[in-house]
Amino acid sequence: MCRRDADATGANLDIAKGREVLPKNVKPLHYHLTLEPNLETFEYEGKVVIDLDVVEDTTSISLNTIDLDIKSSEVHSGSKLITSSPKLSYDENTQTTTVSFDDTIPAGHKATLTQTFKGTLNANMAGFYRSSYKGEDGSDKYIATTQMEPTDARRAFPCFDEPALKAEFTITLIADKKLTCLSNMDVANEKDAHNGKKAVTFNKSPLMSTYLLAFIVGELNMIETDAFRLPVRVFATPDKDIEHGRFSLELAAKTLDFYETKFNSKFPLPKMDMVAIPDFSAGAMENWGLVTYRVVDLLFDEKTSSASTKQRVAEVVQHELAHQWFGNLVTMDFWDGLWLNEGFATWMSWYSCNEFYPEWKVWQGYVTDNLQSALALDSLRSSHPIEVPVKRADEINQIFDAISYSKGSCVLRMVSKYLGEETFMEGVRRYLKKHAFGNTQTNDLWAALSDASGKDVEKIMDIWTKNVGFPVVSVTEDAKNNSVHVKQNRFLRTADVKPEEDKVLYPVFLGLRSADGVDEELTLDGRERSFKVKDLDFYKINADHSGIYRTSYSPERLQKLGEAAKKGLLTVEDRAGMIADAGALAASGYQKTSGVLSLLQGFDTEPEFVVWDELTARIASVRAAWVFQDDKVKDALKAFQRDLVAKKSHELGWDFKESDGHIEQQFKSLLFSSAALSGDEKTKAAALEMFEKFKNGDRSAIHPNLRGGVYAVALQNGGEAEYDAILDEYRTAKVADERNTALRSIGRARQPELIKRTLAMALSKEVKDQDIYLPLGGLRSHKEGILALWDWVKVNWDTIYKKLPPGLSMLGSVVSLCTSSFTSEKQIQEIDAFFKERSTKGFDQSLAQSFDAIRAKDGWLKRDAEDVEAWLKANKYL
Ligand SMILES: [Zn+2]
């Protein structure tokens, strides 16, 4: 396919330049792969037979391998043996093995490469790896499983490990007869193999990319449904209650049916299996027909889990199933197109949630959730464009971030609003039909959407995907002429935009809300423009916040908008989005923080959960930036939070009834925790009473929706006894979700001895590597913990680095958890000095983002520390 002319839309980024890819002299057609894992020695034997099209005259074949011991190689062309003793060379840098031979295979011929090899079932959650669980007798038991995305299929077997090199696969697994063997396809036949084992061969797959392959061998329980036209099953290891997969199983069947209709495209595989894996680095992986999940993201107990857990599971299941079409059937041609996969699956999961659970009002949550995480990361200088050039394997893991997922999905939400959801879906249907079993680039989606809508989608959207950042739209008014003036500039959280960083002009959909409704047509194409409004008394920009930008109003206008909110003139999305904008703009110097605090104060009678979610998030971000400030000021901010939330929390109460809706449950939980943690006596006493009963053995004393909040209050007000009780819950609870809540909480304890124990836990055998971030996260809630985290990283760096190799994105997460809570330039220098002497490969971007975030807080404090203090005094908190 021909690339779009790079200059056609003013974008100057050639993302294909510099890609490190395999030579194009041969093309894989079919793999027959046989693997025999040994769950005792953690080794496996493998054999791969790859049928190739010879595209150019060929004397060598290069393919990807890593950490594989190749035992033998043979090359055939037709029935002719070309070589059985080729020269093998390995390039560590590109993770490529080259098989060279003397005879030339001419272009246009076929060839077959056969290799036998030995590999290790590693403990690093990448490639073909081992995952452990406890047997009934307490012993360690293992399954063998895979995680190939992005570039670890090469760790499992020699292959052409690029998304565009699609081929068909026939997989055979050899294992003990009592073990379950799974792969992407259904079983073709099962035969006796050597040593009393069985050889399970799966049917040939359709054309697919290597990163979507999966195979699992182990002892697994299963439940099944026939609610979809094809079998849908959920699997888990025997230590789990398989019935906890019932919700996901039924939702998957409904979702597959819904997607088939919506996409007008039949799911092309013969079955859908979903498996809970005890050790899993990501949340879930969309392997075609064999989706793998972190246990908590697939299994949960409706009786003991919170409303937010249920929503998370629903979102993850629907996200992975959306990938079965978007990503698996139609695949990006290289990793710079990752956003297309992830942005779409994220958007689609919410679209689907909205279909099945309209009462969850997920599009409201989208404004406070996805939009905010996108805008937060993209306000850093160290962010990256949605379409980002990636050359090498070790750069790829770093782009599985809020830009690809959240900003990607926001861009799609924006275009779906612009075209209308039905037209957008028609475009998606055309895109899937045209490119089924193939590979695409971003402009192929724009072309399909243009085709369906008659509008030039590429012209508008290219600017959004090819550039880093987003604008802030400043609004001024001319009362005499009844006109509004808008101007766009690049928004940076550090508020230090240089002229050369402010050149991109975005097509901004202004979405003007006035008393007459919303004007969707109004756009800002250039730097600035003025337009008339009928009545300056009430208007607002970015109705429902489907546009990707912040809006900066004058303090007077912001106050008027606060009043309009009270009068019911603004939607929930408008109110939440407006608070988010005001908070972010204050943090970066566009407005005074005192103005935002006054705005928040005015929302004390707000009736909606989503708005409160944003209100409390904004107070939390002020308190986080002020964490190293004087205790008196910190206490005053805490008192302000208490004043704002306590009344509403008392009004809602903290008893849960059968009749409570999904949102109401989360609403009660949010305000109860926020009030009790900010020292409100009534909620605090209630929390401590619940905990006391729980400590004395009454496990039902704390409602699942309150569990995290009550643990936090108990640790804030208690000591070792409370800590031990929560730790015991982590050690003994049956459901993964309950254990996680406990582990996530212990970091809240701030006594030096307890902090030490939390940090020791993180590296102990008791915490799986996949969960290391859980105990660390809680430590970020207090000054003592933030300081201890950094000391811990310095002392244990070599251990951490070994435990979480840089190829896994988890190392970056740990670095960011342990550094980004700091707030001063001096602290940046200290961190920088430490990492200067070490390799930052695989997490350099996380580190740069931490520095930007700290720098932004440093600037914020310098600008507004006095302003905040004055406001707190004026409002009698200080
Ligand atoms: Zn995904």
Side-chain angles (χ1 to χ4, degrees):
M1 172 183 316
C2 220
R3 277 205 152 257
R4 181 187 53 79
D5 176 0
D7 293 327
T9 58
N12 54 11
L13 194 67
D14 182 359
I15 52 170
K17 215 171 168 180
R19 280 181 186 174
E20 259 176 22
V21 292
L22 292 166
K24 300 204 182 313
N25 60 319
V26 295
K27 193 179 169 301
L29 301 172
H30 176 264
Y31 295 70
H32 196 137
L33 175 65
T34 306
L35 293 167
E36 183 179 353
N38 185 325
L39 293 174
E40 272 145 33
T41 61
F42 305 134
E43 286 182 332
Y44 63 92
E45 306 279 343
K47 180 181 175 188
V48 66
V49 183
I50 312 174
D51 299 329
L52 303 159
D53 248 348
V54 179
V55 182
E56 296 163 12
D57 289 355
T58 286
T59 53
S60 71
I61 298 168
S62 295
L63 75 176
N64 298 113
T65 63
I66 184 166
D67 291 348
L68 291 175
D69 179 9
I70 295 172
K71 296 285 183 197
S72 70
S73 302
E74 259 181 30
V75 179
H76 284 85
S77 182
S79 54
K80 184 183 165 201
L81 175 68
I82 302 290
T83 175
S84 57
S85 54
K87 188 171 152 268
L88 255 57
S89 59
Y90 187 66
D91 182 341
E92 205 168 318
N93 205 25
T94 56
Q95 304 173 345
T96 305
T97 291
T98 299
V99 180
S100 309
F101 35 89
D102 296 333
D103 287 2
T104 303
I105 311 175
H109 284 225
K110 303 273 184 219
T112 305
L113 170 67
T114 304
Q115 292 191 306
T116 57
F117 54 95
K118 214 169 169 172
T120 306
L121 295 170
N122 68 72
N124 289 333
M125 298 179 279
F128 200 16
Y129 71 95
R130 63 184 191 260
S131 174
S132 70
Y133 62 96
K134 291 279 176 219
E136 253 178 33
D137 56 356
S139 64
D140 287 328
K141 300 257 190 182
Y142 293 90
I143 63 169
T145 183
T146 53
Q147 169 60 37
M148 309 302 200
E149 193 184 20
T151 56
D152 284 315
R154 64 189 67 174
R155 204 179 278 282
F157 65 101
C159 59
F160 297 79
D161 199 10
E162 290 168 17
L165 296 175
K166 289 192 175 186
E168 297 170 327
F169 290 84
T170 305
I171 311 280
T172 298
L173 296 172
I174 300 174
D176 278 355
K177 282 193 172 146
K178 63 175 198 291
L179 301 178
T180 302
C181 296
L182 298 171
S183 186
N184 306 82
M185 297 296 290
D186 54 348
V187 175
N189 61 66
E190 209 174 294
K191 290 180 186 148
D192 283 338
H194 61 92
N195 294 344
K197 292 182 177 178
K198 63 180 175 181
V200 181
T201 300
F202 299 88
N203 279 309
K204 188 170 77 180
S205 79
L207 278 178
M208 63 185 284
S209 305
T210 46
Y211 81 92
L212 294 166
L213 278 174
F215 17 90
I216 299 174
V217 175
E219 218 175 306
L220 297 166
N221 290 332
M222 183 266 282
I223 49 175
E224 184 168 14
T225 177
D226 58 4
F228 180 54
R229 63 178 182 84
L230 301 169
V232 181
R233 305 183 290 183
V234 165
F235 291 83
T237 46
D239 58 325
K240 307 287 181 305
D241 183 348
I242 190 70
E243 277 306 316
H244 291 167
R246 189 65 65 182
F247 171 80
S248 298
L249 179 74
E250 277 157 16
L251 178 60
K254 279 199 293 194
T255 304
L256 286 166
D257 194 51
F258 176 62
Y259 287 173
E260 280 199 338
T261 314
K262 272 288 151 191
F263 298 144
N264 190 25
S265 165
K266 292 269 185 244
F267 178 62
L269 269 61
K271 53 90 185 173
M272 170 54 67
D273 291 335
M274 309 202 294
V275 189
I277 307 291
D279 300 84
F280 201 80
S281 68
M285 177 61 212
E286 68 265 24
N287 315 304
W288 219 0
L290 180 57
V291 183
T292 43
Y293 293 81
R294 204 170 251 255
V295 175
V296 277
D297 288 329
L298 184 67
L299 309 180
F300 83 105
D301 182 356
E302 291 217 49
K303 286 195 280 308
T304 61
S305 296
S306 64
S308 52
T309 301
K310 182 174 177 177
Q311 186 165 337
R312 161 82 188 168
V313 169
E315 278 168 24
V316 176
V317 169
Q318 291 171 106
H319 177 112
E320 300 313 324
L321 296 182
H323 274 313
Q324 303 301 309
W325 284 263
F326 220 103
N328 302 7
L329 180 64
V330 180
T331 313
M332 74 246 150
D333 80 329
F334 198 64
W335 296 103
D336 42 48
L338 177 72
W339 86 274
L340 210 51
N341 270 9
E342 298 308 342
F344 186 83
T346 305
W347 182 87
M348 196 67 205
S349 74
W350 292 58
Y351 183 88
S352 174
C353 254
N354 195 46
E355 171 76 16
F356 293 124
Y357 309 101
E359 70 281 9
W360 292 4
K361 297 184 181 154
V362 287
W363 290 118
Q364 291 182 356
Y366 199 82
V367 172
T368 54
D369 186 331
N370 262 4
L371 179 61
Q372 297 315 318
S373 50
L375 295 183
L377 179 51
D378 212 20
S379 66
L380 301 178
R381 183 170 275 121
S382 47
S383 177
H384 61 83
I386 286 180
E387 286 189 80
V388 61
V390 274
K391 296 177 200 162
R392 299 162 44 89
D394 56 23
E395 293 175 350
I396 296 166
N397 264 310
Q398 297 205 63
I399 61 166
F400 284 80
D401 64 2
I403 297 302
S404 301
Y405 285 73
S406 296
K407 192 180 178 191
S409 65
C410 290
V411 160
L412 293 175
R413 179 173 186 253
M414 190 165 71
V415 69
S416 74
K417 286 264 177 181
Y418 170 66
L419 302 177
E421 261 174 23
E422 254 328 294
T423 309
F424 177 75
M425 268 304 180
E426 176 54 29
V428 169
R429 283 190 282 273
R430 291 182 193 196
Y431 170 82
L432 291 172
K433 188 167 180 202
K434 184 166 176 193
H435 302 286
F437 303 102
N439 293 83
T440 57
Q441 296 175 349
T442 294
N443 49 339
D444 293 316
L445 177 64
W446 300 153
L449 293 175
S450 297
D451 189 38
S453 65
K455 291 180 179 169
D456 189 348
V457 177
E458 180 168 347
K459 181 164 169 257
I460 301 163
M461 299 315 294
D462 233 18
I463 300 179
W464 286 103
T465 59
K466 294 232 164 37
N467 292 287
V468 62
F470 60 90
V472 50
V473 173
S474 306
V475 184
T476 47
E477 293 159 18
D478 179 354
K480 254 191 247 151
N481 294 311
N482 259 6
S483 76
V484 172
H485 186 79
V486 288
K487 183 179 181 193
Q488 61 165 308
N489 292 97
R490 168 89 184 272
F491 179 77
L492 279 184
R493 209 191 302 176
T494 36
D496 54 353
V497 181
K498 297 176 191 129
E500 64 270 26
E501 292 171 318
D502 189 19
K503 285 195 173 147
V504 178
L505 295 174
Y506 293 87
V508 177
F509 304 135
L510 289 170
L512 178 74
R513 186 185 294 285
S514 67
D516 298 334
V518 179
D519 181 350
E520 301 275 14
E521 296 298 311
L522 204 61
T523 50
L524 168 62
D525 288 321
R527 175 71 68 189
E528 51 195 311
R529 72 171 282 190
S530 294
F531 54 87
K532 294 265 182 204
V533 288
K534 223 159 83 190
D535 186 359
L536 269 182
D537 199 42
F538 169 65
Y539 73 91
K540 183 186 166 294
I541 305 286
N542 202 5
D544 292 338
H545 289 254
S546 50
I548 304 173
Y549 57 94
R550 300 275 188 206
T551 311
S552 176
Y553 300 100
S554 67
E556 297 75 34
R557 174 53 56 188
L558 199 58
Q559 203 184 343
K560 277 191 185 166
L561 281 169
E563 286 155 20
K566 280 196 174 169
K567 284 186 210 151
L569 295 171
L570 298 176
T571 62
V572 174
E573 290 90 334
D574 277 332
R575 301 198 303 270
M578 178 179 99
I579 292 164
D581 278 4
L585 290 165
S588 48
Y590 286 83
Q591 285 163 10
K592 278 286 158 201
T593 308
S594 54
V596 176
L597 295 175
S598 295
L599 179 74
L600 299 182
Q601 202 173 31
F603 273 86
D604 57 341
T605 55
E606 168 62 44
E608 293 289 339
F609 164 66
V610 171
V611 183
W612 277 100
D613 199 20
E614 192 57 44
L615 283 167
T616 48
R618 288 299 154 186
I619 300 180
S621 82
V622 177
R623 291 186 62 193
W626 261 250
V627 71
F628 287 97
Q629 298 301 104
D630 194 64
D631 279 346
K632 265 192 250 155
V633 178
K634 281 163 65 180
D635 287 343
L637 282 169
K638 191 168 154 185
F640 166 56
Q641 175 177 333
R642 180 165 67 233
D643 241 20
L644 186 62
V645 300
K647 203 171 116 220
K648 189 74 189 174
S649 171
H650 299 168
E651 189 186 308
L652 289 171
W654 42 89
D655 285 332
F656 292 88
K657 298 187 285 288
E658 281 288 315
S659 58
D660 284 348
H662 181 80
I663 289 183
E664 205 177 349
Q665 292 180 48
Q666 293 179 74
F667 200 179
K668 284 180 180 177
S669 154
L670 171 77
L671 289 191
F672 177 80
S673 304
S674 180
L677 281 169
S678 58
D680 167 57
E681 287 304 330
K682 207 169 156 185
T683 42
K684 191 172 96 183
L688 292 176
E689 195 189 319
M690 290 176 211
F691 191 79
E692 196 56 30
K693 285 186 192 157
F694 164 81
K695 206 169 69 178
N696 292 327
D698 178 5
R699 301 199 40 168
S700 65
I702 311 173
H703 190 276
N705 282 314
L706 298 182
R707 209 177 282 132
V710 170
Y711 290 168
V713 174
L715 289 168
Q716 192 187 52
N717 296 280
E720 206 176 345
E722 287 71 21
Y723 189 91
D724 285 335
I726 294 167
L727 199 57
D728 187 53
E729 175 72 1
Y730 170 65
R731 287 174 173 150
T732 58
K734 286 275 173 290
V735 183
D737 173 47
E738 292 177 315
R739 303 183 69 220
N740 278 8
T741 307
L743 192 60
R744 211 187 278 276
S745 302
I746 56 168
R748 291 220 170 226
R750 57 175 78 187
Q751 292 88 335
E753 262 317 298
L754 298 179
I755 290 178
K756 258 192 214 157
R757 285 178 61 189
T758 302
L759 288 168
M761 269 295 277
L763 290 180
S764 75
K765 277 221 170 95
E766 274 196 83
V767 175
K768 282 182 177 276
D769 290 353
Q770 65 159 10
D771 293 327
I772 192 167
Y773 68 98
L774 291 172
L776 302 182
L779 288 163
R780 281 152 50 97
S781 64
H782 46 85
K783 185 171 78 181
E784 296 81 0
I786 296 167
L787 292 167
L789 275 171
W790 174 236
D791 284 338
W792 172 81
V793 163
K794 281 188 292 186
V795 174
N796 296 289
W797 180 250
D798 293 342
T799 315
I800 298 167
Y801 194 83
K802 221 160 111 195
K803 217 171 158 65
L804 308 169
L808 291 182
S809 58
M810 292 182 67
L811 186 64
S813 309
V814 168
V815 167
S816 142
L817 273 171
C818 297
T819 56
S820 64
S821 302
F822 282 121
T823 64
S824 79
E825 193 69 43
K826 211 178 127 242
Q827 288 158 333
I828 294 184
Q829 286 163 13
E830 200 195 314
I831 301 165
D832 196 31
F834 177 79
F835 283 116
K836 261 217 167 90
E837 293 163 16
R838 289 161 178 88
S839 163
T840 57
K841 201 169 124 182
F843 65 91
D844 50 342
Q845 211 169 351
S846 304
L847 196 59
Q849 286 162 0
S850 258
F851 288 167
D852 273 350
I854 301 171
R855 206 162 278 137
K857 284 184 273 186
D858 186 61
W860 187 9
L861 287 161
K862 284 193 178 119
R863 272 189 312 270
D864 278 0
E866 280 176 27
D867 171 60
V868 166
E869 219 173 306
W871 187 90
L872 290 168
K873 275 185 187 143
N875 286 275
K876 309 259 181 307
Y877 292 111
L878 197 67

